[in-house]
Coordinates of all heavy atoms in Angstrom, one line a residue:
A2 N 33.1 205.2 134.2 CA 33.3 203.9 133.7 C 33.2 202.9 134.7 O 32.7 201.8 134.5 CB 34.7 203.9 133.0
S3 N 33.6 203.2 135.9 CA 33.5 202.2 137.0 C 32.0 201.9 137.3 O 31.7 200.7 137.6 CB 34.2 202.8 138.3 OG 34.0 201.9 139.4
S4 N 31.2 202.9 137.3 CA 29.8 202.7 137.5 C 29.2 201.8 136.4 O 28.4 200.9 136.7 CB 29.0 204.0 137.6 OG 27.7 203.8 137.7
R5 N 29.6 202.0 135.2 CA 29.1 201.1 134.1 C 29.6 199.7 134.3 O 28.8 198.8 134.0 CB 29.6 201.7 132.8 CG 28.5 202.5 132.1 CD 28.8 202.8 130.7 NE 29.8 203.9 130.7 CZ 30.3 204.6 129.7 NH1 30.0 204.1 128.5 NH2 31.1 205.6 129.9
N6 N 30.8 199.5 134.7 CA 31.3 198.2 134.9 C 30.6 197.5 136.0 O 30.3 196.3 135.9 CB 32.8 198.2 135.2 CG 33.7 198.5 134.0 OD1 33.2 198.4 132.9 ND2 34.9 198.9 134.2
Q7 N 30.3 198.2 137.1 CA 29.5 197.6 138.2 C 28.1 197.2 137.8 O 27.6 196.2 138.1 CB 29.5 198.6 139.4 CG 30.8 198.7 140.1 CD 30.7 199.8 141.2 OE1 29.8 200.7 141.2 NE2 31.6 199.7 142.2
N8 N 27.5 198.1 137.0 CA 26.1 197.8 136.5 C 26.2 196.5 135.6 O 25.3 195.7 135.7 CB 25.5 198.9 135.7 CG 25.0 200.0 136.6 OD1 24.8 199.8 137.8 ND2 24.9 201.2 136.1
F9 N 27.2 196.5 134.7 CA 27.3 195.3 133.8 C 27.5 194.0 134.6 O 26.9 193.0 134.4 CB 28.5 195.5 132.8 CG 28.8 194.3 132.0 CD1 27.9 194.0 130.9 CD2 29.8 193.5 132.3 CE1 28.2 192.9 130.2 CE2 30.0 192.4 131.5 CZ 29.2 192.1 130.5
I10 N 28.4 194.1 135.6 CA 28.7 192.9 136.4 C 27.4 192.5 137.2 O 27.1 191.3 137.3 CB 29.9 193.2 137.4 CG1 31.2 193.3 136.6 CG2 30.0 192.1 138.5 CD1 32.4 193.8 137.3
F11 N 26.7 193.5 137.7 CA 25.4 193.2 138.5 C 24.4 192.5 137.5 O 23.8 191.5 137.9 CB 24.8 194.4 139.1 CG 23.5 194.2 139.7 CD1 23.4 193.6 140.9 CD2 22.3 194.6 139.0 CE1 22.1 193.3 141.5 CE2 21.1 194.4 139.5 CZ 21.0 193.7 140.8
M12 N 24.3 193.0 136.3 CA 23.4 192.4 135.3 C 23.8 191.0 134.9 O 23.0 190.1 134.8 CB 23.2 193.3 134.1 CG 22.6 194.7 134.4 SD 20.9 194.5 135.0 CE 20.1 194.0 133.5
L13 N 25.1 190.9 134.7 CA 25.6 189.6 134.4 C 25.4 188.5 135.5 O 24.9 187.4 135.2 CB 27.1 189.7 134.0 CG 27.8 188.4 133.6 CD1 27.2 187.8 132.3 CD2 29.3 188.6 133.5
I14 N 25.7 188.9 136.7 CA 25.4 188.0 137.8 C 23.9 187.7 138.0 O 23.6 186.5 138.2 CB 26.0 188.5 139.1 CG1 27.6 188.5 139.0 CG2 25.5 187.8 140.3 CD1 28.3 189.2 140.1
S15 N 23.1 188.7 137.8 CA 21.6 188.5 137.9 C 21.2 187.5 136.8 O 20.4 186.6 137.0 CB 20.9 189.8 137.8 OG 21.2 190.6 138.8
F16 N 21.7 187.7 135.6 CA 21.3 186.8 134.5 C 21.8 185.4 134.7 O 21.0 184.4 134.5 CB 21.9 187.3 133.2 CG 21.8 186.4 132.0 CD1 20.5 186.3 131.4 CD2 22.8 185.6 131.6 CE1 20.3 185.4 130.3 CE2 22.6 184.7 130.5 CZ 21.4 184.7 129.9
L17 N 23.0 185.2 135.3 CA 23.5 183.9 135.5 C 22.7 183.2 136.6 O 22.4 182.0 136.6 CB 25.0 183.9 135.9 CG 25.9 184.3 134.7 CD1 27.3 184.5 135.2 CD2 25.8 183.3 133.6
I18 N 22.2 183.9 137.6 CA 21.4 183.4 138.7 C 20.1 182.9 138.1 O 19.6 181.8 138.4 CB 21.2 184.4 139.9 CG1 22.6 184.5 140.6 CG2 20.1 183.9 140.8 CD1 22.6 185.6 141.6

Side-chain angles (χ1 to χ4, degrees):
S3 175
S4 175
R5 260 191 281 185
N6 285 344
Q7 287 177 337
N8 285 339
F9 174 76
I10 290 171
F11 174 76
M12 293 299 289
L13 180 63
I14 290 172
S15 298
F16 174 75
L17 291 174
I18 289 171

